[in-house]
Amino acid sequence: MATTKKAAKAASKGLEDLFLDGLKDLYYAEKKILKALPKMAKGAESEEVTAAFEKHRMETEGHVDRLEEVFDKFGKPARGKTCPAIDGIIEEGSEMLEEYSGAPALDAGLVGAAQSVEHYEIARYGTLIAWAEELGKSDVVELLRATLKEEVATDEALTKLGESGVNERAMQEAA
Ligand code: FE
Ligand code: FE
């Protein structure tokens, strides 16, 4: 019976399977983020917000490369797996672009949407690092930590950007 077969397969799944599934999710997510960032950069009103998104787009290219290296360390081909969580977060960012186009609150909304993306990434990288440590893959841990550092720095930069006037501008009445 199919269910028995499925149960047998599930019974043999261990931490490495869990890690590789998470890796595929994150690979899909990083590629999706890579496509979304230029749209957000283009849509932003202020130069600072555009610059922040463009800077992180370049870093994100490196994140994709590092994940490909991680697949390689496990002797697996780099392959993504649809991650509905990031699809939803990015969908919200697109809605922000449409619904707040031309509004004083647009940039504050975009910064908030981008921070949701960073928090997703911080959570996922943190989990994969813990599992890679458990699996004894120190070279993989190092690669993932390098990206995590950039995600955390981006999140902090976005917080500062919001506080530096973006949120205040959102308080203005639309002209
Ligand atoms: Fe990333
Ligand atoms: Fe990021």
Side-chain angles (χ1 to χ4, degrees), residues 22-174:
L23 188 63
K24 286 177 194 163
D25 249 59
L26 200 44
Y27 187 60
Y28 171 89
E30 288 283 19
K31 287 183 123 182
K32 187 111 188 187
I33 295 163
L34 196 55
K35 274 197 227 157
L37 279 167
K39 289 177 199 158
M40 290 176 75
K42 215 178 147 204
E45 287 287 339
S46 77
E47 272 175 39
E48 312 103 272
V49 175
T50 297
F53 290 159
E54 274 171 0
K55 181 184 180 220
H56 198 51
R57 191 202 59 81
M58 282 192 283
E59 287 174 339
T60 301
E61 279 179 8
H63 301 175
V64 171
D65 290 345
R66 284 194 194 110
L67 291 181
E68 285 171 358
E69 271 186 71
V70 173
F71 277 108
D72 202 52
K73 300 265 181 215
F74 280 87
K76 301 278 181 194
R79 212 174 288 156
K81 182 182 166 219
T82 306
C83 172
I86 197 67
D87 280 347
I89 292 169
I90 286 180
E91 178 58 32
E92 284 194 357
S94 307
E95 280 173 18
M96 190 67 67
L97 276 171
E98 280 173 35
E99 292 167 15
Y100 281 80
S101 169
L106 174 66
D107 281 8
L110 289 181
V111 167
Q115 283 192 287
S116 295
V117 173
E118 294 317 306
H119 286 213
Y120 160 91
E121 292 183 286
I122 290 165
R124 296 298 168 105
Y125 276 102
T127 299
L128 285 188
I129 288 166
W131 290 343
E133 275 171 349
E134 193 65 37
L135 291 166
K137 294 272 196 182
S138 55
D139 45 356
V140 169
V141 169
E142 230 172 277
L143 283 164
L144 298 175
R145 274 206 187 126
T147 294
L148 178 59
K149 218 176 141 187
E150 289 175 352
E151 311 293 19
V152 170
T154 300
D155 180 44
E156 285 168 358
L158 289 169
T159 295
K160 285 202 187 110
L161 206 52
E163 289 167 353
S164 76
V166 169
N167 292 343
E168 210 176 302
R169 277 199 293 281
M171 291 281 286
Q172 293 165 13
E173 296 287 326

